[in-house]
Amino acid sequence: MLTVFQQVDNWNTILSLLVWVLFFLYFFTDLPQKTQFYRYERGVATRLALIEGLVSESVNKVKSYLAKLGIKNVDPFVNTTLENYFVIEPVSIEPIDIIKRLDHIITINEQKFKQDLERIAPSLSVHTRNNVAVSLAIASALYTIYKILRHYYYLGKKYENWVLLMQLYLIMPQLVRELMPYSRAIDGIIRGVPIGDSAGPMVAYKLMSTAPRIDIEEDTVYSVVNIEHRNVYIVKAKGPGATVGKPGKAVAKLAEMLAYKVSRIITIDAALKLEGERTGLVAEGTGAAIGDPGPEKIEIERTAVKCGAPLDAIIIKMGSDEAIKPMKREILEGVEKAYQIVLDIIKNRTKPGDNIIIVGIGNTVGVY
Amino acid sequence: MPIIIIAMVVLIILTLILYFKLRSGFMKSFQQLDKLDEVPQRYIAIVKCYNNDYIVEKEFQEGDFVGKIVGECPKCRNKLVIEAIFAQYTYRKR
């Protein structure tokens, strides 16, 4: 070897040869793309393993919770739930009665799930069953996202589609960060601690206090209180189990009961903040503050139109992770501010003797 | 010739410094993920008297919920109710 080096006296020749080889490899072969592809593939695989860990962590939490509640044959039930509950959207190119069809499909899916849960755990209270249902829904959402990401990863690998893998590689860090709170959220739901999304029901609770809860719709209650000589009807999901109820249908029913003599409808909900905005910031606007797929929101809007009542929206801002995690003190402070705004609206924008409907939208976990 | 070699060495060193300083891709994100893992440290329940003359913070216990009556007020003997529940967070490395 040494003799070879000694024989070569012109190092410039070797260097230029190397440069030419590199030039050829870089510009006339797929080597750079292959290297990039390998990097993207490894990056996505690492992230996917992280998400898989989150999925198993969440599923194990739900399984151990069910086992703690004394439910037998937990594994087949959880595995079936993770795979089998999906909803196919109704036909949208024919928009006539789409809301009715969507509502019907959502209700059927919910009922099917509740019936299955009731069958395997008949002894559980409704509230505990709701907590189990929401925990399972979170684990299922996490699993669905994982499955979709895995699908695109395998697709990219199978067809050596480096553009697909590159997109996954770029979006994965953001997705992982957004998915991590899901696993944490299950702890809160299982323990029955209010989450960020419970801000609306918390404001409703502050207005209702000890007033009796009257059932009006499935998992939904209302109370009547007198504030400054106004008849205030407060609607919220039935707590303290984890449920969002049917606030839209409850408002429609309530307005019908009041012969559509409603002077104002106020909705309070948690809303996503923009990056840079403070958690717990309260904003007041117009419209129905509710983030459902459509059927509940449209009921509130239609009722407001029928009554000719102004529709106030109060939102408590938070991040998407904060909405599902146990409630932070900043959000609690936002709840107090929203409560004061509601009182202010009642005092200044309505007259004594008026009927007002106030709706606390959101998951009522841990809130009576 | 030596000038070219020195220039190349300087260029390589600069590139390496830049690489480690502005590390992109998933290595940097892992560091950020470690910092961002926010976990609830403890759950606190705010207990209040109906007459608003007594307020105290207590550790959340299994079965507690907002609106639960948890006893009598030591001042006026009225009912004590859980007014709010919230979580205190801490940052933890995964």
Side-chain angles (χ1 to χ4, degrees):
Chain A
M1 193 70 180
L2 199 66
T3 46
V4 174
F5 277 108
Q6 280 164 352
Q7 281 167 5
V8 181
D9 53 0
N10 195 349
W11 284 96
N12 280 340
T13 318
I14 298 171
L15 269 173
S16 64
L17 190 72
L18 268 172
V19 167
W20 277 110
V21 168
L22 281 173
F23 178 82
F24 180 79
L25 283 173
Y26 196 85
F27 288 101
F28 296 101
T29 67
D30 285 342
L31 197 66
Q33 279 78 17
K34 291 276 177 196
T35 320
Q36 282 284 59
F37 179 83
Y38 179 74
R39 275 194 65 212
Y40 294 147
E41 192 264 314
R42 284 294 83 210
V44 174
T46 317
R47 287 268 185 274
L48 214 52
L50 204 67
I51 297 173
E52 194 181 2
L54 288 176
V55 174
S56 353
E57 194 185 321
S58 311
V59 171
N60 288 338
K61 274 179 194 172
V62 177
K63 279 182 183 171
S64 56
Y65 178 51
L66 287 170
K68 206 176 122 188
L69 291 169
I71 298 165
K72 286 166 191 166
N73 290 330
V74 167
D75 283 5
F77 174 70
V78 172
N79 295 340
T80 312
T81 306
L82 291 179
E83 292 286 356
N84 283 8
Y85 291 92
F86 57 89
V87 176
I88 298 166
E89 280 180 32
V91 176
S92 58
I93 51 166
E94 166 57 281
I96 294 169
D97 74 356
I98 189 166
I99 287 292
K100 272 185 193 169
R101 286 182 279 132
L102 180 64
D103 185 36
H104 184 62
I105 287 167
I106 293 170
T107 311
I108 289 170
N109 190 48
E110 278 173 7
Q111 278 172 358
K112 183 184 160 200
F113 182 59
K114 279 182 183 171
Q115 279 165 4
D116 284 355
L117 201 57
E118 210 174 328
R119 207 182 59 243
I120 71 146
S123 57
L124 291 184
S125 72
V126 180
H127 300 309
T128 315
R129 216 178 289 150
N130 281 342
N131 288 355
V132 173
V134 172
S135 310
L136 266 170
I138 293 172
S140 174
L142 208 52
Y143 181 60
T144 308
I145 295 167
Y146 166 70
K147 274 198 302 185
I148 293 167
L149 291 172
R150 188 183 59 185
H151 164 75
Y152 284 114
Y153 166 66
Y154 281 142
L155 214 60
K157 250 179 94 170
K158 190 175 170 183
Y159 297 112
E160 295 197 0
N161 186 342
W162 67 271
V163 176
L164 188 64
L165 277 175
M166 181 189 69
Q167 288 178 64
L168 272 177
Y169 177 79
L170 293 176
I171 204 169
M172 278 297 223
Q174 188 189 337
L175 279 174
V176 172
R177 251 182 260 169
E178 281 173 10
L179 293 177
M180 270 183 176
Y182 277 73
S183 179
R184 299 263 170 269
I186 291 177
D187 294 323
I189 302 281
I190 285 171
R191 299 188 76 176
V193 179
I195 55 173
D197 191 40
S198 311
M202 282 277 275
V203 178
Y205 167 79
K206 282 176 91 71
L207 292 158
M208 286 168 152
S209 190
T210 52
R213 270 55 164 173
I214 306 156
D215 286 294
I216 186 162
E217 260 293 329
E218 192 194 346
D219 285 338
T220 316
V221 290
Y222 80 96
S223 292
V224 192
V225 290
N226 191 293
I227 300 171
E228 304 273 328
H229 308 293
R230 278 87 163 165
N231 304 313
V232 183
Y233 296 80
I234 305 144
V235 178
K236 73 180 271 297
K238 191 177 184 177
T243 178
V244 290
K246 305 259 182 206
K249 288 183 192 68
V251 168
K253 221 177 219 180
L254 210 51
E256 201 185 337
M257 273 163 54
L258 297 166
Y260 297 103
K261 283 175 185 159
V262 178
S263 58
R264 212 161 190 104
I265 299 173
I266 307 168
T267 50
I268 310 128
D269 194 11
L272 287 185
K273 71 179 177 86
L274 296 171
E275 282 300 318
E277 280 187 315
R278 196 167 42 81
T279 299
L281 196 79
V282 181
E284 195 195 323
T286 309
I290 174 167
D292 85 312
E296 298 301 318
K297 189 175 182 176
I298 206 164
E299 288 279 9
I300 298 176
E301 287 170 352
R302 279 179 179 153
T303 309
V305 172
K306 242 179 202 173
C307 300
L311 198 51
D312 293 309
I314 297 165
I315 52 167
I316 300 153
K317 295 190 181 185
M318 59 193 78
S320 58
D321 57 330
E322 290 164 334
I324 52 167
K325 283 200 296 193
M327 192 178 278
K328 283 184 172 178
R329 193 184 263 273
E330 294 95 314
I331 299 171
L332 199 61
E333 286 162 6
V335 167
E336 183 57 40
K337 276 179 216 158
Y339 170 67
Q340 293 301 333
I341 290 173
V342 173
L343 290 182
D344 193 60
I345 292 173
I346 294 170
K347 280 174 202 165
N348 299 321
R349 295 187 213 165
T350 60
K351 293 192 289 283
D354 277 354
N355 293 327
I356 306 157
I357 297 177
I358 297 173
V359 202
I361 309 285
N363 197 310
T364 194
V365 58
V367 185
Y368 175 58
Chain B
M1 187 65 188
I3 296 167
I4 295 169
I5 292 170
I6 290 166
M8 277 177 77
V9 170
V10 169
L11 206 67
I12 289 166
I13 290 169
L14 274 174
T15 315
L16 283 172
I17 289 169
L18 274 175
Y19 173 75
F20 285 108
K21 187 84 182 160
L22 311 168
R23 245 187 304 185
S24 63
F26 72 106
M27 281 312 290
K28 190 180 177 185
S29 306
F30 263 123
Q31 290 168 351
Q32 285 174 350
L33 284 173
D34 279 348
K35 281 182 204 162
L36 279 165
D37 198 12
E38 201 184 34
V39 287
Q41 192 181 25
R42 56 195 283 246
Y43 300 107
I44 293 160
I46 300 173
V47 180
K48 208 173 167 184
C49 170
Y50 274 146
N51 289 346
N52 282 336
D53 59 356
Y54 182 77
I55 186 162
V56 69
E57 284 188 4
K58 75 171 189 91
E59 200 78 31
F60 171 86
Q61 284 168 342
E62 207 80 20
D64 280 354
F65 57 86
V66 175
K68 186 186 179 187
I69 295 160
V70 285
E72 271 186 358
C73 172
K75 285 184 180 173
C76 66
R77 293 287 177 223
N78 208 331
K79 283 170 186 167
L80 279 179
V81 65
I82 296 178
E83 184 72 8
I85 297 168
F86 66 94
Q88 269 184 350
Y89 283 86
T90 185
Y91 290 96
R92 201 179 66 184
K93 280 201 164 193
R94 277 186 79 85

